């Protein structure tokens, strides 16, 4: 679990970004054009997510309730209406997912991510688990996912450079 100070800093950055998005401040030198859309670039800034109450061990033992991830699934659906890349960008920016990837073992984090993606596909595309796994393994999804990951890595590196330069 991130320290309270780190959580507070994240929350402050999210509030600042949300304010910038609401004010329509143009973002110079975008890493990728799809990030010009505030629904795709930091889509969870205005969503209240209390990471301190998130219990990954409970999810590992008992599974998760899809209703608890409705904000993620709705944002992914909106992203998917733009492109598969946009959906992957939304998915990878979900704060709970970021927390799990940062703090849990790789296999556990991968299982959690797969569970979220399979659930998303079953809700919005009526896929069974086999069809969802096939979609996740498809070249189109893998390409979009890998590109989204690279875009976010570049974005993070640029943001770090800006904060260090101040």
């Amino acid at each position: 679990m991130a320290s309270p100070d780190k959580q507070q800093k994240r929350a402050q950055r999210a509030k600042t970004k949300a304010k910038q998005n609401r004010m329509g401040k143009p973002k110079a030198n975008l890493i990728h054009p799809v990030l010009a859309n505030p629904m795709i670039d930091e889509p969870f800034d205005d969503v209240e997510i209390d990471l301190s109450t998130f219990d990954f061990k409970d999810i590992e033992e008992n599974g998760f309730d899809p209703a608890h991830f409705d904000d993620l699934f709705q944002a992914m659906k909106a992203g998917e209406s733009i492109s598969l890349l946009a959906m992957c960008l939304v998915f990878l920016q979900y704060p709970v997912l970021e927390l799990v990837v940062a703090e849990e073992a790789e296999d556990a984090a991968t299982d959690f991510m797969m569970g979220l993606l399979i659930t998303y596909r079953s809700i919005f595309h009526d896929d069974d688990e086999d069809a969802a796994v096939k979609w996740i393994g498809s070249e189109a999804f893998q390409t979009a996912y890998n590109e989204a990951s690279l875009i976010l890595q570049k974005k993070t590196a640029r943001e770090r450079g800006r904060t260090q330069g101040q």
Side-chain angles (χ1 to χ4, degrees):
M1 183 70 67
S3 70
D5 186 47
K6 189 170 185 178
Q7 288 177 352
Q8 186 177 9
K9 287 179 181 179
R10 284 182 185 160
Q12 186 59 42
R13 282 195 306 270
K15 286 179 186 178
T16 302
K17 280 287 192 188
K19 184 176 179 181
Q20 288 174 348
N21 289 342
R22 284 191 300 274
M23 295 177 68
K25 181 178 177 182
K27 296 182 179 181
N29 302 323
L30 286 174
I31 302 293
H32 192 281
V34 76
L35 291 176
N37 186 331
M39 286 180 10
I40 307 306
D41 186 19
E42 303 190 23
F44 303 102
D45 278 357
D46 292 333
V47 177
E48 289 293 323
I49 300 172
D50 185 359
L51 295 175
S52 67
T53 63
F54 180 72
D55 185 357
F56 187 72
K57 296 301 175 209
D58 182 53
I59 289 175
E60 279 187 311
E61 293 169 8
N62 304 309
F64 63 84
D65 180 353
H68 293 152
F69 297 93
D70 188 58
D71 53 343
L72 169 64
F73 297 143
Q74 293 300 325
M76 286 172 66
K77 181 169 177 35
E80 190 175 22
S81 70
I82 296 168
S83 69
L84 186 56
L85 174 62
M87 187 213 72
C88 289
L89 282 164
V90 167
F91 177 69
L92 289 171
Q93 292 178 84
Y94 190 56
V96 172
L97 184 64
E98 291 176 352
L99 177 69
V100 169
V101 168
E103 297 188 1
E104 301 300 330
E106 185 177 347
D107 288 346
T110 300
D111 289 347
F112 179 66
M113 293 169 68
M114 289 290 289
L116 290 172
L117 291 167
I118 290 167
T119 301
Y120 171 78
R121 288 296 292 190
S122 71
I123 292 171
F124 292 105
H125 296 277
D126 294 323
D127 282 358
D128 62 14
E129 185 173 344
D130 290 340
V133 170
K134 185 176 179 181
W135 172 76
I136 294 165
S138 72
E139 186 175 332
F141 178 82
Q142 290 295 311
T143 299
Y145 184 90
N146 290 333
E147 184 177 355
S149 180
L150 289 173
I151 289 168
L152 292 174
Q153 287 173 16
K154 288 177 186 176
K155 181 180 171 219
T156 300
R158 179 177 285 179
E159 288 172 353
R160 282 190 184 131
R162 284 185 185 148
T163 57
Q164 290 175 352
Q166 291 178 347

